[in-house]
Amino acid sequence: GQQVMQIPQYQHVQEGEDFTTYCNSSTTLSNIQWYKQRPGGHPVFLIQLVKSGEVKKQKRLTFQFGEAKKNSSLHITATQTTDVGTYFCAGGYYGQNFVFGPGTRLSVLP
Amino acid sequence: DTGVSQDPRHKITKRGQNVTFRCDPISEHNRLYWYRQTLGQGPEFLTYFQNEAQLEKSRLLSDRFSAERPKGSFSTLEIQRTEQGDSAMYLCASSLINSPLHFGNGTRLTVT
């Protein structure tokens, strides 16, 4: 079946430093979504990427979808303490469900 | 839009008992998903519905798990003969086709 991998598993950064998490699928995706989960909360949708090579920005967050539609990345510029949480990618497969990666847990030291 | 509602929020049960959880999706959403999440892991897909039809069920899901969405609105997830390994957060999400998933707050199951 489909597998979605994410690295790193954990990332500790100093406030103001940048952060990147990478997502890889074993097979081609139809689309990819990114979610953020705060401690004790549920996953909250951030963005969806559909087109090969697509890049989208949300303030300090930059999302990329690979040319082969098998990988994606999320980059946060100048992290803030409010960025703390676990970031999940979820691969959408043609006609099927969304498969979540294991997540990258981000901690930001003030 | 009142969001996705799940009931109960917490359930403690003894091993061997049956439990049933309910999910009320966002009203106009035709897709409804069930995921299971354990500490430090990503949501694990269990099953999903489009309207009342159950379109996919995880091969990892044992026969003790069953889900229904009888009228294409709310859904129930039943676990029969619970085991300690079933302890997890059970998340429900709803969406339109190929659109973002909106998650509920989940039902935390503890099997003693």
Side-chain angles (χ1 to χ4, degrees), chain A residues 7-8 10-11 14 16 26 30 45-46 52 57 59-60 64-66 70 72 83 93 97 103 105:
Chain A
I7 56 169
Y10 302 97
Q11 185 78 58
Q14 203 74 36
S26 55
S30 66
F45 173 77
L46 294 176
S52 169
K57 292 190 176 184
K59 297 182 180 178
R60 295 178 294 104
Q64 292 188 325
F65 202 9
K70 294 178 72 173
S72 180
D83 296 325
Y93 296 88
N97 69 86
R105 182 176 299 177

Short mmCIF file of all heavy atoms in Angstrom, two decimals, chain A residues 7-8 10-11 14 16 26 30 45-46 52 57 59-60 64-66 70 72 83 93 97 103 105:
data_model
loop_
_atom_site.label_atom_id
_atom_site.label_comp_id
_atom_site.label_asym_id
_atom_site.label_seq_id
_atom_site.Cartn_x
_atom_site.Cartn_y
_atom_site.Cartn_z
N ILE A 7 10.67 13.43 7.34
CA ILE A 7 11.87 13.68 8.12
C ILE A 7 12.06 15.17 8.31
O ILE A 7 11.62 15.97 7.47
CB ILE A 7 13.15 13.08 7.45
CG1 ILE A 7 13.31 13.63 6.02
CG2 ILE A 7 13.11 11.57 7.47
CD1 ILE A 7 14.65 13.29 5.42
N PRO A 8 12.64 15.59 9.44
CA PRO A 8 13.04 14.73 10.56
C PRO A 8 11.85 14.39 11.44
O PRO A 8 10.76 14.91 11.24
CB PRO A 8 14.04 15.62 11.31
CG PRO A 8 13.51 17.00 11.09
CD PRO A 8 12.96 17.00 9.68
N TYR A 10 11.92 14.89 14.78
CA TYR A 10 11.89 15.99 15.73
C TYR A 10 12.82 17.09 15.24
O TYR A 10 13.81 16.81 14.57
CB TYR A 10 12.38 15.55 17.13
CG TYR A 10 11.62 14.43 17.76
CD1 TYR A 10 12.07 13.13 17.67
CD2 TYR A 10 10.45 14.68 18.48
CE1 TYR A 10 11.37 12.10 18.26
CE2 TYR A 10 9.75 13.65 19.08
CZ TYR A 10 10.21 12.36 18.96
OH TYR A 10 9.51 11.34 19.55
N GLN A 11 12.49 18.32 15.59
CA GLN A 11 13.37 19.44 15.28
C GLN A 11 13.25 20.47 16.41
O GLN A 11 12.14 20.91 16.73
CB GLN A 11 12.98 20.08 13.95
CG GLN A 11 13.91 21.18 13.49
CD GLN A 11 15.20 20.64 12.89
OE1 GLN A 11 15.18 19.89 11.93
NE2 GLN A 11 16.31 21.02 13.48
N GLN A 14 16.02 27.43 17.74
CA GLN A 14 15.98 28.66 18.53
C GLN A 14 15.00 29.60 17.83
O GLN A 14 14.94 29.63 16.58
CB GLN A 14 17.37 29.29 18.60
CG GLN A 14 17.61 30.21 19.76
CD GLN A 14 17.78 29.47 21.07
OE1 GLN A 14 18.35 28.38 21.12
NE2 GLN A 14 17.29 30.06 22.14
N GLY A 16 13.50 32.34 15.83
CA GLY A 16 14.14 33.15 14.80
C GLY A 16 14.86 32.32 13.74
O GLY A 16 15.15 32.81 12.64
N SER A 26 5.77 6.81 -1.51
CA SER A 26 6.31 5.68 -2.27
C SER A 26 5.75 5.65 -3.70
O SER A 26 6.33 5.03 -4.58
CB SER A 26 5.99 4.37 -1.54
OG SER A 26 4.60 4.25 -1.30
N SER A 30 -1.88 12.36 -6.15
CA SER A 30 -2.75 13.27 -6.90
C SER A 30 -2.67 14.67 -6.28
O SER A 30 -2.77 15.67 -6.99
CB SER A 30 -4.19 12.78 -6.88
OG SER A 30 -4.72 12.82 -5.56
N PHE A 45 -5.99 21.91 9.06
CA PHE A 45 -5.54 22.05 7.67
C PHE A 45 -4.75 23.33 7.48
O PHE A 45 -5.15 24.41 7.94
CB PHE A 45 -6.75 22.02 6.75
CG PHE A 45 -6.45 22.32 5.31
CD1 PHE A 45 -5.89 21.36 4.50
CD2 PHE A 45 -6.73 23.57 4.77
CE1 PHE A 45 -5.61 21.62 3.17
CE2 PHE A 45 -6.45 23.84 3.45
CZ PHE A 45 -5.90 22.86 2.64
N LEU A 46 -3.62 23.22 6.75
CA LEU A 46 -2.82 24.39 6.40
C LEU A 46 -2.97 24.73 4.92
O LEU A 46 -3.29 25.86 4.56
CB LEU A 46 -1.34 24.16 6.72
CG LEU A 46 -0.97 24.01 8.19
CD1 LEU A 46 0.53 23.69 8.32
CD2 LEU A 46 -1.31 25.27 8.98
N SER A 52 2.16 19.72 -10.23
CA SER A 52 3.58 19.38 -10.23
C SER A 52 4.42 20.65 -10.13
O SER A 52 4.18 21.60 -10.87
CB SER A 52 3.91 18.63 -11.52
OG SER A 52 5.28 18.49 -11.70
N LYS A 57 2.79 30.08 -0.69
CA LYS A 57 3.29 30.75 0.50
C LYS A 57 2.13 31.25 1.35
O LYS A 57 1.12 31.73 0.84
CB LYS A 57 4.19 31.92 0.11
CG LYS A 57 5.50 31.51 -0.54
CD LYS A 57 6.45 32.68 -0.68
CE LYS A 57 7.79 32.21 -1.24
NZ LYS A 57 8.79 33.30 -1.33
N LYS A 59 2.39 33.68 4.51
CA LYS A 59 3.21 34.48 5.42
C LYS A 59 4.60 33.87 5.53
O LYS A 59 5.36 33.88 4.55
CB LYS A 59 2.52 34.60 6.78
CG LYS A 59 1.18 35.31 6.73
CD LYS A 59 0.56 35.44 8.10
CE LYS A 59 -0.78 36.16 8.00
NZ LYS A 59 -1.45 36.26 9.32
N ARG A 60 5.00 33.34 6.66
CA ARG A 60 6.35 32.81 6.83
C ARG A 60 6.46 31.33 6.39
O ARG A 60 7.55 30.76 6.47
CB ARG A 60 6.76 32.93 8.30
CG ARG A 60 6.88 34.36 8.80
CD ARG A 60 7.25 34.44 10.29
NE ARG A 60 6.17 33.89 11.12
CZ ARG A 60 6.22 32.70 11.69
NH1 ARG A 60 7.27 31.92 11.53
NH2 ARG A 60 5.21 32.29 12.43
N GLN A 64 6.14 23.37 -0.98
CA GLN A 64 6.51 22.98 -2.34
C GLN A 64 6.03 21.57 -2.63
O GLN A 64 6.05 20.71 -1.74
CB GLN A 64 8.03 23.04 -2.50
CG GLN A 64 8.61 24.43 -2.45
CD GLN A 64 10.09 24.44 -2.81
OE1 GLN A 64 10.82 23.51 -2.50
NE2 GLN A 64 10.53 25.50 -3.47
N PHE A 65 5.68 21.34 -3.88
CA PHE A 65 5.29 20.01 -4.36
C PHE A 65 6.28 19.64 -5.45
O PHE A 65 6.50 20.42 -6.37
CB PHE A 65 3.88 20.04 -4.92
CG PHE A 65 3.17 18.72 -4.97
CD1 PHE A 65 3.69 17.58 -4.39
CD2 PHE A 65 1.95 18.61 -5.62
CE1 PHE A 65 3.03 16.36 -4.44
CE2 PHE A 65 1.26 17.40 -5.68
CZ PHE A 65 1.81 16.28 -5.08
N GLY A 66 6.87 18.47 -5.35
CA GLY A 66 7.91 18.07 -6.28
C GLY A 66 7.40 17.89 -7.71
O GLY A 66 6.21 17.67 -7.94
N LYS A 70 5.85 13.25 -5.94
CA LYS A 70 6.09 12.20 -4.95
C LYS A 70 6.71 12.76 -3.67
O LYS A 70 6.87 12.04 -2.70
CB LYS A 70 7.02 11.12 -5.53
CG LYS A 70 6.39 10.35 -6.69
CD LYS A 70 7.34 9.32 -7.27
CE LYS A 70 7.56 8.15 -6.36
NZ LYS A 70 8.36 7.08 -7.02
N SER A 72 7.30 16.54 -1.07
CA SER A 72 6.85 17.88 -0.73
C SER A 72 7.67 18.37 0.46
O SER A 72 8.30 17.59 1.17
CB SER A 72 5.36 17.87 -0.37
OG SER A 72 4.90 19.17 -0.05
N ASP A 83 4.72 28.68 16.48
CA ASP A 83 4.85 27.64 15.46
C ASP A 83 4.98 26.25 16.07
O ASP A 83 4.96 25.26 15.35
CB ASP A 83 6.07 27.91 14.58
CG ASP A 83 5.95 29.19 13.78
OD1 ASP A 83 4.82 29.52 13.36
OD2 ASP A 83 6.99 29.86 13.57
N TYR A 93 -4.21 10.07 -2.80
CA TYR A 93 -3.98 9.12 -3.89
C TYR A 93 -5.22 9.04 -4.76
O TYR A 93 -6.33 9.06 -4.28
CB TYR A 93 -3.60 7.75 -3.33
CG TYR A 93 -2.29 7.78 -2.59
CD1 TYR A 93 -2.25 8.08 -1.24
CD2 TYR A 93 -1.10 7.56 -3.25
CE1 TYR A 93 -1.05 8.16 -0.56
CE2 TYR A 93 0.11 7.62 -2.58
CZ TYR A 93 0.13 7.92 -1.24
OH TYR A 93 1.32 8.00 -0.58
N ASN A 97 -8.00 7.34 -0.32
CA ASN A 97 -8.03 8.18 0.87
C ASN A 97 -6.72 8.96 1.02
O ASN A 97 -5.82 8.87 0.20
CB ASN A 97 -8.25 7.30 2.09
CG ASN A 97 -7.02 6.45 2.37
OD1 ASN A 97 -6.09 6.89 3.02
ND2 ASN A 97 -6.98 5.25 1.84
N GLY A 103 4.76 12.67 10.84
CA GLY A 103 4.84 14.00 11.42
C GLY A 103 6.24 14.41 11.83
O GLY A 103 7.11 13.57 12.09
N ARG A 105 7.82 16.87 14.75
CA ARG A 105 7.47 17.66 15.94
C ARG A 105 8.46 18.81 16.07
O ARG A 105 9.67 18.58 16.18
CB ARG A 105 7.50 16.79 17.18
CG ARG A 105 7.09 17.51 18.45
CD ARG A 105 7.05 16.57 19.64
NE ARG A 105 6.07 15.52 19.43
CZ ARG A 105 5.86 14.52 20.28
NH1 ARG A 105 6.58 14.45 21.39
NH2 ARG A 105 4.96 13.61 20.04
#
